Amino acid sequence: MDSSDWDARYAGSAELVWTAEPNRFVVEAVADLPPGDVIDLAAGEGRNTVWLAERGWRVTAVDFSPVAVARGREFAARRGVPVDWRVADVTVDAPEPGRYDLVLVAYLHLPPAALAAVLAGARGALRPGGAVVVVGHDRANLDSGVGGPRDPAILLSPEAVVAGLDGLRVRRAETARRPVAVDGGTVDALDTVVVATRPA
């Protein structure tokens, strides 16, 4: 999907397309970190962005959908938090090297070469001691989970993400279960979760 497809998807919903709550794996990875400078790559409407800002992080949020960025600005304003919102394509515009204490890449699904470029940019954007958190639909989700893209070429695996973060210290790399509410109960989605840090 290109930016115009995402614009149409966001514009077609009166409410947030995604929940206003942050992703559970992002919360687990970040909750105990001291606030600093963070960039949220492919931030969408800002559910993780706003949660980070509410906890004192200085947040830059980037997405290639102008509609998503506009909605993110409104969401952050409603919650009363400052966020530096930018419209940009993260596959082309790498973040400033050595600028961030945290780089977040949540549910960004790209062909392998494009994903590798984004991960290289994320790795390069870290300050010493900084962390990269990557979360997304795992390839195993096709057969054993629910939701997410159906194209295996753009789904994640812990191994592929770790390979793209060469030189960092891997703190967590796994396929994790995420309960999803459905009529009558819950089912599990399977997500790749990787947390890696640059040595201080």
Side-chain angles (χ1 to χ4, degrees):
M1 293 176 70
D2 63 20
S3 60
S4 61
D5 293 324
W6 281 108
D7 281 344
R9 182 169 184 181
Y10 288 122
S13 174
E15 303 296 328
L16 292 174
V17 171
W18 317 114
T19 175
E21 296 302 313
N23 174 265
R24 62 182 294 165
F25 300 122
V26 173
V27 172
E28 289 173 9
V30 175
D32 294 332
L33 296 179
D37 294 302
V38 55
I39 188 166
D40 185 355
L41 300 177
E45 299 164 300
R47 65 185 185 130
N48 297 310
T49 300
V50 168
W51 179 82
L52 288 160
E54 288 175 335
R55 275 140 193 86
W57 288 85
R58 295 176 296 275
V59 188
T60 299
V62 182
D63 201 278
F64 73 167
S65 165
V67 175
V69 167
R71 291 178 70 135
R73 285 191 177 113
E74 292 171 4
F75 181 29
R78 286 197 307 272
R79 299 287 275 261
V81 292
V83 174
D84 177 12
W85 285 93
R86 300 178 185 175
V87 176
D89 183 344
V90 300
T91 67
V92 177
D93 299 310
E96 181 183 341
R99 169 72 175 77
Y100 296 98
D101 302 293
L102 175 65
V103 178
L104 175 60
V105 183
Y107 298 94
L108 176 61
H109 294 277
L110 299 167
L115 179 63
V118 170
L119 294 177
R123 185 179 68 229
L126 288 181
R127 291 174 176 151
V132 173
V133 176
V134 181
V135 180
H137 298 287
D138 193 279
R139 286 181 192 144
N141 203 53
L142 281 176
D143 300 318
S144 305
V146 62
R150 308 318 291 167
D151 179 357
I154 63 171
L155 293 171
L156 304 183
S157 71
E159 297 79 11
V161 173
V162 167
L165 298 175
D166 185 49
L168 302 186
R169 182 177 295 120
V170 177
R171 303 293 188 183
R172 179 179 184 183
E174 65 175 302
T175 299
R177 294 185 176 276
R178 175 173 49 87
V180 177
V182 295
D183 290 341
T186 61
V187 294
D188 285 338
L190 299 177
D191 287 344
T192 289
V193 181
V194 175
V195 180
T197 57
R198 178 175 294 286

